[in-house]
């Protein structure tokens, strides 16, 4: 690692650990806490709203984190404060003995969690040079996969053996570890405090800098593809259940796709630094189209393994997309651009999961899957028209 990254190695390791522990807690929330909600008496509709509310809290936290970063610039202090609130919420969850209290506290838990995700992503974008952003985001994406895998291995046994309150204590402890690690993060200020104060005094009513039309187009394509991924992700277990596959077979698609995709974030990021972001983003979008379409014809278990693996490649390319966003963003709007990118994924989760089930029930599985495959196809066409803004190109040429 020391010979291939120009980014500060200690900074890279700390960020890798922090961003690897985040999905550890996210996986516990998405996969295990709905079980706890059912045990507290929630019906399927309430359980679905519970998960959607967690997504909403993260999305709002992401937006807030980007705004705080661009407004105040004190990212490290904001990150430490968000972790402190997160720890408190995890401890309060040990007393969540009603479904209403659980829903409220999950929002309190993941709002600062969304802020932390946004701030960490911004620090990564500021710490890495343009020539290695893809590689750095890819390495961090590898940590994300490891964190999710660990959550799947230890979360269930802890909850079953010692109960969910102990699991919440583990979540609080993991967040405390992230807080301690964050103490050693080096924050790169975007403007000296004096210059920032002078800018605010000279332009008190100025509008925040625009993220640009081309970047908005990139974010739109990202939204369309994420919607397709969520439609495919919901359709796969439903089809397998109709075909008589067991729960073990359904879960095997997750394991196989995770194993295949695990090394891809780093590889794709490294390649995108050398060959450009667009070809790999296009390839990932194409995998989404194929993965969703394959579900319409799927009959055998390996069909579902292949479909899940194609959709997992889209997830593995998220680091390339984040690097692409950072490349396209004006420096003054970098924080907002990163937070909007993260929020786009979460908004797709809320919209995709809530609408896909309704569509499958009303118009049928196959028409819904065709719609899901058409969305990334449209995104590919839009991406072909994407050009780096002239101001960003000129800035890179002068450095």
């Amino acid at each position: 690692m020391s010979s291939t990254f120009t980014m500060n190695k200690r900074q890279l390791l700390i960020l890798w650990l922090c961003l690897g522990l985040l999905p550890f807690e996210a996986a516990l929330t998405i996969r295990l806490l709905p079980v706890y909600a059912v045990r507290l008496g929630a019906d399927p509709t309430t359980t679905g709203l519970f998960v959607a509310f967690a997504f909403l809290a993260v999305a709002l936290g992401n937006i807030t984190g980007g705004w705080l970063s661009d407004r105040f610039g004190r990212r490290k202090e904001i990150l430490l404060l968000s972790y402190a609130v997160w720890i408190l919420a995890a401890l309060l969850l040990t007393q969540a003995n009603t479904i209403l209290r659980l829903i409220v506290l999950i929002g309190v838990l993941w709002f600062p969690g969304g802020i932390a995700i946004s701030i960490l992503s911004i620090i990564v974008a500021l710490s890495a040079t343009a020539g290695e952003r893809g590689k750095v985001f890819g390495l961090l994406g590898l940590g994300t996969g490891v964190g999710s895998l660990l959550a799947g291995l230890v979360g269930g046994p802890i909850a079953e053996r010692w109960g969910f309150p102990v699991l919440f204590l583990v979540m609080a402890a993991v967040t405390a570890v992230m807080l301690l690690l964050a103490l050693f993060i080096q924050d790169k200020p975007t403007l000296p405090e004096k210059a920032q104060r002078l800018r605010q005094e000279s332009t008190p009513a100025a509008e925040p800098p625009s993220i640009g039309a081309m970047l908005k187009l990139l974010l739109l394509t990202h939204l369309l593809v994420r919607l397709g991924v969520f439609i495919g992700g919901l359709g796969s277990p439903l089809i397998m259940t109709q075909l008589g596959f067991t729960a073990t077979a359904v879960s095997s698609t997750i394991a196989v796709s995770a194993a295949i995709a695990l090394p891809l974030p780093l590889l794709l990021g490294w390649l995108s630094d050398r060959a450009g972001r667009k070809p790999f983003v296009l390839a990932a979008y194409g995998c989404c189209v194929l993965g969703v379409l394959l579900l319409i014809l799927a009959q055998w278990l390996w069909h579902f393994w292949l479909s899940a693996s194609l959709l997992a490649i889209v997830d593995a390319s998220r680091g390339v997309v984040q690097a692409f966003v950072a490349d396209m963003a004006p420096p003054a709007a970098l924080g907002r651009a990163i937070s909007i990118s993260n929020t786009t994924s979460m908004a797709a989760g809320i919209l995709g999961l809530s609408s896909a089930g309704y569509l499958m029930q009303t118009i049928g599985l196959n028409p819904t899957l065709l719609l899901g495959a058409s969305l990334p196809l449209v995104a590919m066409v839009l991406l072909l028209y994407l050009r780096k803004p002239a101001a960003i190109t000129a800035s890179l040429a002068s450095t």
Side-chain angles (χ1 to χ4, degrees), residues 45-121:
T45 300
T46 304
T47 304
L49 292 174
F50 162 73
V51 178
F53 187 65
F55 269 100
L56 177 62
V58 175
L60 293 175
N62 261 277
I63 295 172
T64 303
W67 179 84
L68 290 172
S69 173
D70 287 340
R71 179 67 178 82
F72 300 104
R74 295 182 173 273
R75 285 170 287 274
K76 184 174 180 178
E77 290 84 349
I78 296 168
L79 182 62
L80 293 173
L81 180 60
S82 68
Y83 281 144
V85 176
W86 197 347
I87 293 170
L88 177 61
L91 292 174
L92 289 174
L93 272 172
T94 62
Q95 306 301 314
N97 51 12
T98 66
I99 185 61
L100 178 60
R101 187 175 297 179
L102 180 65
I103 291 175
V104 171
L105 287 175
I106 206 65
V108 177
L109 182 83
W110 278 109
F111 178 75
I115 293 176
I117 293 171
S118 177
I119 295 296
L120 287 169
S121 299

Side-chain angles (χ1 to χ4, degrees), residues 228-261:
V229 168
F230 282 111
I231 290 173
L234 183 61
S236 178
L238 292 178
I239 296 172
M240 293 184 74
T241 301
Q242 289 182 357
L243 293 175
F245 285 98
T246 64
T248 300
V250 174
S251 64
S252 72
T253 63
I254 302 172
V256 170
S257 61
I260 291 175

Side-chain angles (χ1 to χ4, degrees), residues 189-396:
T190 50
L191 281 174
E193 290 187 15
K194 183 177 179 181
Q196 187 176 16
R197 185 169 60 254
L198 289 174
R199 185 187 69 174
Q200 292 170 353
E201 291 173 355
S202 61
T203 57
E207 293 292 328
S210 171
I211 62 174
M214 288 293 101
L215 182 51
K216 291 177 182 177
L217 181 62
L218 174 59
L219 293 172
L220 174 61
T221 67
H222 184 50
L223 173 64
L224 294 174
V225 169
R226 296 306 304 172
L227 286 171
V229 168
F230 282 111
I231 290 173
L234 183 61
S236 178
L238 292 178
I239 296 172
M240 293 184 74
T241 301
Q242 289 182 357
L243 293 175
F245 285 98
T246 64
T248 300
V250 174
S251 64
S252 72
T253 63
I254 302 172
V256 170
S257 61
I260 291 175
L262 190 60
L264 290 181
L266 181 57
L267 176 62
L268 293 176
W270 179 79
L271 290 172
S272 76
D273 286 335
R274 282 150 180 77
R277 318 287 184 209
K278 186 187 290 189
F280 297 97
V281 176
L282 278 170
Y285 288 5
C287 288
C288 184
V289 175
L290 295 176
V292 178
L293 286 178
L294 182 58
L295 290 173
I296 298 176
L297 304 174
Q299 295 290 328
W300 303 100
L301 182 58
W302 71 267
H303 294 162
F304 295 97
W305 285 352
L306 179 56
S307 172
S309 298
L310 289 168
L311 295 179
I313 291 173
V314 184
D315 288 327
S317 70
R318 193 174 303 174
V320 179
V321 175
Q322 287 180 308
F324 205 172
V325 169
D327 292 345
M328 299 284 289
L334 179 60
R336 195 150 51 92
I338 292 292
S339 67
I340 292 174
S341 174
N342 290 335
T343 304
T344 298
S345 296
M346 295 159 195
I350 298 170
L351 180 61
L353 291 172
S354 61
S355 62
Y358 173 78
L359 289 173
M360 289 174 183
Q361 189 172 357
T362 53
I363 67 175
L365 270 169
N366 287 348
T368 303
L369 291 173
L370 284 173
L371 175 62
S374 68
L375 295 176
L377 190 61
V378 171
M380 293 178 70
V381 175
L382 293 175
L383 195 61
L384 293 174
Y385 292 93
L386 189 69
R387 298 290 183 272
K388 184 169 290 189
I392 304 295
T393 305
S395 175
L396 289 174

